[in-house]
Amino acid sequence: MMSPLDRKLLRDLWRMKGQAIAIASVIATGVMLLVMMSGVVTSLSETRRAYYERNRLAHVFAPVKRAPLHVIRDLADLPGVTAAEGRVTGSALISLPSLELPLRATAVSLPDLGEPRLNAIHLTDGRQISHDKPDEIILLNSFARAHNLTPGDALSATMNGAKRTFRIVGLAQSPEYLYSVAPGEMISDDSRFGVIWMSQTALSAAYDMQGAFNEALLSLGPRTSLQEILDRVDMVLDPYGGLGAYGLKDQTSNRFISEEIVGMEGSSRVVPPIFLAVAAFLLNIVISRMVQSEREQIGLIKAFGYTNWEVGLHYFKFVLVIAIGGAVAGCLSGIALGRGMMSLYLTYYKFPILVFELDPASFVTAFLISILAASAGGLFVLRSVFALTPAVAMRPPAPDDYSRTGRFGALFESLLDQPSRMVLRRITRQPGRMLGALVGIACGMALSVSMISLLAGFDKTMNLTFSVMDRSDVTVTFTHALGQKAVHELQSLPGVLQVEPERSVSALLRNGLRSYRGSIEGLTDAPHLKRAIAKDLSPIALGDQGIVLSKALAKTLDITPGEMLTVEILEGRRPILKIPVANFAESLLGSPAYMRIDALNKVLKEPLRISTAYLRIDSNQADQIFKALKDRPNVAGVSLKSDARAALQKMMNTGAGSMRFVMVAIAAIITFGIVYNAARIAYAERLRDLASLRVMGFTRSEAAFVLLGELAVITLAALPLGSLMGYYLNYSIAEGFSTDLYQIPTIFSPASYGTAALAVLIAAFLSGWLVKRDIDRADLVSALKIRE
């Protein structure tokens, strides 16, 4: 049988259903994000682990110029190595009849007989290649789908300067290419990069690698020191032109997905607590007002024999019902949102299947945090319940002391009408309550500012990357470092307006115990097409000595200008250099390091060498330029900046980056909930006053003005405070979304603040309209029977 207090609880929940739903929605939002983000992290991590194990992805990758096959036995004999295999890899250019632009590809060998011991592929269509048919290939599934290629189709590709025609016999996926991106690029685009698998014999013949390999794969046993193995592998391969072994954490595809997981983990630690803190604040206000308005009821309940604990538990149940209801709704919506995110992730991470896996710990955590946050909002108020004795509670509260407020409103009596003076007196005589409502609305404003600024930050990433830092039209990548003659040949092509060379070398950058495996980009003295820029967007002059690091890389290495950086070059003679850090550069994609090209070539003892060229071209002659580049044997790839920009925009809008739109929508909903809750609290407190005004002859509009004018003043006053809070909150949100591979800048965009302010004003208008509707429908007789 339900107790009287429980029946009162149900009546209170129904009477305050609007406020309860608004607060539960805030809690549900925080829980939803926590469950979704935890589930995404679990799903990506577990699916990746299982996929890697099933396809035996190597733990160590060791590129080398050319090593005989018998060296694989030496690598397999190293302590801790459980399996070793050599293979041939090389760059290729794919020619499609429908496209003038050649498409980049990587060619990878498969054993002539049987499956590879390491880095097995997952066949999705067709069959395996026959070792006695050198023209048979297996193509990366995502690239084939992008160009409507199927088993049985012919494909033309240039390998090592020779153009050949192949027959596609199968389509496949690989854990090595979960995130498929061309070497040296950052943006995945299925239509611009492919992978070709061929038999060991056929690919060795294409790249003059008969009896040799140019990449070793190693699998390690448990409790094996990775760094020790890498050092030993480098020693074994050094006589054959080893290019520096590296672990799985530095493998391109794995690195991208690892950064996505790390970024999602960071966001889950920053964003959900914000919503739960707002919910705790709102519950504090609601319970406080509720206890104050039910003083007489509390006294009567205690007079009938209920203890302090029973009465306190009754109000605490009110808090728990809202918290648990919000947590349940949040868990269910988090599951739905997480499943929707899986389809987006499958667009860019090529798992055979990706199922949203629930993290049981996230449910427990969500419920505990929700209850704790709600309890924090209500427990402090419940102390006043224990302090009330029946005799004191059943008496009306002592009138507020306004003697020290002076006649603040007297100055405005000649300027304001009576309803306006009532609004002003209410605000000045109850500053505590007004401050609570003001802070609540400011929190909504801050959320909107930070989320809209996040959108502006993504836009700034696009503009800086493709309009300020890179002002070229076409990027040409060479198979190996060439002399200056390559620049003159490009300049002689009809339609090429400007050529700017770059020398890029792989390097391991060290500062004490911190290290980063990346590359150094050598730029010209006064670059125009590819530039390192400062915070004020001005180009950074590269000196004769010194290296310029991106801010993200400097943060990773924990280094400041003037300090010496250890640079281990992973190409050619592989020198180890000590170079001073000259400056920091802005960079929003990747973590580049810059030097002057002649200074870089000098320390490498390879003068006048280039590996990349940036071109500005006449778009009317683009097809002729692409055709000429397609036939050059030393060209490893040609990419259009416009394609890269479109690919990044697509990834941000429809892939994992679309999460920012979800966050903006959530912020808008929460903002409305906060403003509406403030309006409902004010309405509940002043219902009797408003009814009295109506009886005294005030019209419905005049009575509503007394309440809504107060809401309008508080809302307008909350805008500057919310803007200030949003400015600092934006730093935390951007930090949570940023990774080593891409950074979201924190910017001050007047348009973002204006849009956020407009959202708050719209929320206030809708909340005011809903409350005014209740004022018009109010039963005056019932309202006047309410005792203070």
Side-chain angles (χ1 to χ4, degrees):
M1 183 176 178
M2 187 176 294
S3 68
L5 287 182
D6 288 338
R7 288 197 294 271
K8 178 181 180 299
L9 173 64
L10 294 179
R11 287 196 299 270
D12 288 341
L13 287 171
W14 178 253
R15 176 172 54 88
M16 303 178 65
K17 55 183 178 295
Q19 292 171 258
I21 292 174
I23 298 173
S25 298
V26 179
I27 296 175
T29 301
V31 172
M32 176 187 69
L33 293 175
L34 180 62
V35 170
M36 183 276 293
M37 291 176 175
S38 299
V40 167
V41 169
T42 300
S43 301
L44 291 177
S45 300
E46 289 302 311
T47 305
R48 178 182 63 170
R49 180 194 58 78
Y51 193 31
Y52 284 3
E53 289 181 357
R54 187 181 305 116
N55 291 273
R56 306 178 296 281
L57 187 65
H59 298 124
V60 173
F61 297 77
V64 62
K65 284 189 175 181
R66 179 188 175 94
L69 289 175
H70 68 78
V71 177
I72 291 297
R73 293 195 298 271
D74 299 332
L75 296 174
D77 292 338
L78 293 176
V81 176
T82 59
E85 189 169 44
R87 67 180 185 179
V88 176
T89 65
S91 60
L93 287 179
I94 296 176
S95 300
L96 296 178
S98 59
L99 298 175
E100 289 293 337
L101 183 71
L103 304 177
R104 298 186 67 178
T106 293
V108 181
S109 69
L110 294 174
D112 291 338
L113 298 174
E115 290 190 355
R117 299 183 63 187
L118 299 173
N119 291 24
I121 62 175
H122 174 74
L123 199 66
T124 59
D125 297 89
R127 60 173 176 83
Q128 293 286 353
I129 55 178
S130 301
H131 70 279
D132 57 345
K133 296 181 179 179
D135 64 330
E136 291 187 349
I137 63 170
I138 294 176
L139 195 60
L140 184 66
N141 180 281
S142 56
F143 178 83
R145 301 298 185 198
H147 296 284
N148 297 318
L149 297 172
T150 59
D153 292 342
L155 183 74
S156 295
T158 301
M159 296 181 180
N160 199 25
K163 188 173 183 179
R164 300 176 55 188
T165 300
F166 301 95
R167 187 165 65 91
I168 303 171
V169 298
L171 307 179
Q173 294 175 316
S174 169
E176 191 176 355
Y177 296 100
L178 280 177
Y179 185 84
S180 55
V181 60
E185 295 190 10
M186 298 288 297
I187 313 302
S188 175
D189 188 347
D190 295 338
S191 64
R192 297 191 304 119
F193 175 72
V195 180
I196 298 172
W197 285 277
M198 297 174 58
S199 68
Q200 180 92 9
T201 299
L203 198 59
S204 296
Y207 288 93
D208 299 325
M209 286 284 173
Q210 293 91 338
F213 66 92
N214 61 5
E215 185 175 33
L217 307 175
L218 284 73
S219 178
L220 306 181
R223 296 182 296 277
T224 301
S225 172
L226 175 62
Q227 188 57 51
E228 183 178 344
I229 289 294
L230 295 179
D231 293 339
R232 293 188 176 187
V233 170
D234 286 341
M235 291 178 60
V236 172
L237 296 180
D238 187 64
Y240 307 100
L243 300 177
Y246 57 92
L248 180 59
K249 69 181 183 67
D250 289 321
Q251 195 263 342
T252 302
S253 171
N254 182 71
R255 191 170 177 178
F256 273 93
I257 193 171
S258 295
E259 288 295 336
E260 183 65 35
I261 293 173
V262 170
M264 188 63 71
E265 289 176 336
S267 298
S268 67
R269 291 192 294 268
V270 173
V271 179
I274 294 174
F275 293 99
L276 295 177
V278 171
F281 176 77
L282 293 177
L283 273 172
N284 182 279
I285 295 177
V286 170
I287 297 300
S288 176
R289 302 292 193 271
M290 189 175 178
V291 170
Q292 291 174 11
S293 63
E294 294 185 356
R295 282 173 54 94
E296 182 181 356
Q297 296 180 31
I298 293 172
L300 286 171
I301 292 172
K302 288 186 176 182
F304 276 103
Y306 287 91
T307 65
N308 286 333
W309 285 103
E310 289 174 321
V311 178
L313 181 61
H314 162 71
Y315 287 99
F316 189 62
K317 284 180 181 179
F318 183 87
V319 173
L320 289 181
V321 169
I322 296 176
I324 293 174
V328 171
C331 288
L332 295 177
S333 56
I335 294 173
L337 182 59
R339 289 177 175 173
M341 290 296 294
M342 290 301 98
S343 61
L344 297 178
Y345 277 109
L346 273 177
T347 304
Y348 291 94
Y349 299 114
K350 307 306 185 297
F351 290 101
I353 187 172
L354 185 59
V355 178
F356 183 70
E357 295 186 20
L358 301 178
D359 181 9
S362 67
F363 286 91
V364 177
T365 303
F367 273 88
L368 288 178
I369 293 179
S370 301
I371 292 172
L372 290 175
S375 301
L379 286 177
F380 291 105
V381 178
L382 294 183
R383 292 182 304 176
S384 60
V385 175
F386 290 88
L388 285 174
T389 62
V392 173
M394 295 176 67
R395 291 199 303 266
D400 294 325
D401 182 11
Y402 297 132
S403 62
R404 286 171 292 181
T405 61
R407 292 179 57 81
F408 179 78
L411 299 174
F412 301 95
E413 286 185 358
S414 60
L415 301 176
L416 302 177
D417 57 13
Q418 189 176 28
S420 299
R421 292 198 298 272
M422 294 173 68
V423 171
L424 183 61
R425 285 196 293 269
R426 165 83 172 180
I427 294 174
T428 56
R429 292 178 176 179
Q430 294 183 326
R433 294 186 180 183
M434 299 302 105
L435 181 62
L438 185 146
V439 172
I441 296 175
C443 289
M445 173 72 177
L447 286 173
S448 296
V449 166
S450 59
M451 295 307 169
I452 297 174
S453 295
L454 186 67
L455 290 181
F458 274 87
D459 293 337
K460 183 179 179 180
T461 298
M462 295 287 295
N463 292 329
L464 284 183
T465 301
F466 296 106
S467 299
V468 180
M469 299 177 188
D470 185 357
R471 302 191 296 179
S472 65
D473 297 322
V474 178
T475 302
V476 179
T477 306
F478 301 112
T479 56
H480 58 280
L482 303 176
Q484 287 290 325
K485 180 182 177 181
V487 175
H488 301 310
E489 291 177 349
L490 291 175
Q491 289 174 334
S492 65
L493 292 177
V496 174
L497 306 178
Q498 187 177 1
V499 178
E500 195 168 273
E502 177 188 273
R503 177 73 191 275
S504 179
V505 295
S506 300
L508 183 64
L509 311 179
R510 294 185 183 275
N511 179 41
L513 298 177
R514 294 174 177 262
S515 63
Y516 182 85
R517 185 185 178 94
S519 63
I520 300 177
E521 300 177 15
L523 306 179
T524 58
D525 296 347
H528 295 283
L529 302 183
K530 177 66 179 294
R531 307 183 300 169
I533 63 170
K535 187 174 183 179
D536 61 358
L537 306 187
S538 62
I540 296 176
L542 303 177
D544 294 334
Q545 296 181 347
I547 188 170
V548 175
L549 304 180
S550 64
K551 289 184 177 179
L553 180 54
K555 182 178 179 181
T556 300
L557 296 174
D558 190 22
I559 197 168
T560 58
E563 294 185 305
M564 300 299 293
L565 179 68
T566 301
V567 179
E568 299 179 18
I569 302 297
L570 302 177
E571 298 179 11
R573 298 177 179 84
R574 301 187 63 183
I576 299 178
L577 311 171
K578 291 284 188 178
I579 305 176
V581 176
N583 205 341
F584 291 162
E586 296 291 317
S587 179
L588 304 177
L589 286 179
S591 300
Y594 304 101
M595 288 182 65
R596 266 180 53 170
I597 188 170
D598 52 355
L600 178 59
N601 282 327
K602 182 178 180 180
V603 297
L604 295 176
K605 298 182 180 179
E606 297 177 355
L608 304 178
R609 310 293 281 182
I610 69 169
S611 56
T612 305
Y614 295 94
L615 279 60
R616 188 166 61 87
I617 66 172
D618 180 358
S619 59
N620 294 325
Q621 302 185 59
D623 291 346
Q624 292 84 350
I625 295 173
F626 298 151
K627 183 177 181 180
L629 293 174
K630 186 187 299 186
D631 297 331
R632 292 179 179 266
N634 53 14
V635 172
V638 180
S639 59
L640 277 173
K641 185 181 71 173
S642 58
D643 290 343
R645 180 167 190 154
L648 179 60
Q649 188 70 61
K650 180 181 177 182
M651 183 179 72
M652 288 184 172
N653 292 340
T654 61
S658 62
M659 181 62 192
R660 71 192 197 280
F661 295 117
V662 176
M663 299 295 293
V664 171
I666 290 173
I669 295 172
I670 295 304
T671 299
F672 173 77
I674 292 173
V675 177
Y676 176 72
N677 191 71
R680 291 295 307 182
I681 290 174
Y683 171 70
E685 289 179 342
R686 307 203 63 185
L687 178 59
R688 189 171 187 272
D689 293 343
L690 297 173
S692 299
L693 292 176
R694 290 287 311 283
V695 172
M696 293 168 60
F698 279 64
T699 65
R700 291 180 177 179
S701 298
E702 289 174 331
F705 176 81
V706 174
L707 177 65
L708 300 183
E710 173 188 320
L711 176 64
V713 172
I714 294 174
T715 300
L716 293 176
L719 295 182
L721 177 61
S723 299
L724 182 63
M725 294 169 62
Y727 178 81
Y728 291 101
L729 181 61
N730 187 30
Y731 282 92
S732 298
I733 300 291
E735 183 70 20
F737 274 88
S738 298
T739 68
D740 287 343
L741 297 176
Y742 57 87
Q743 298 81 45
I744 306 303
T746 53
I747 63 174
F748 177 80
S749 171
S752 299
Y753 288 79
T755 304
L758 181 62
V760 173
L761 293 176
I762 292 175
F765 176 80
L766 292 177
S767 300
W769 176 76
L770 292 173
V771 171
K772 184 181 184 304
R773 186 183 60 176
D774 291 340
I775 295 174
D776 295 342
R777 296 176 179 176
D779 186 345
L780 301 182
V781 176
S782 299
L784 290 171
K785 288 181 179 180
I786 299 175
R787 292 186 60 186
E788 293 291 344

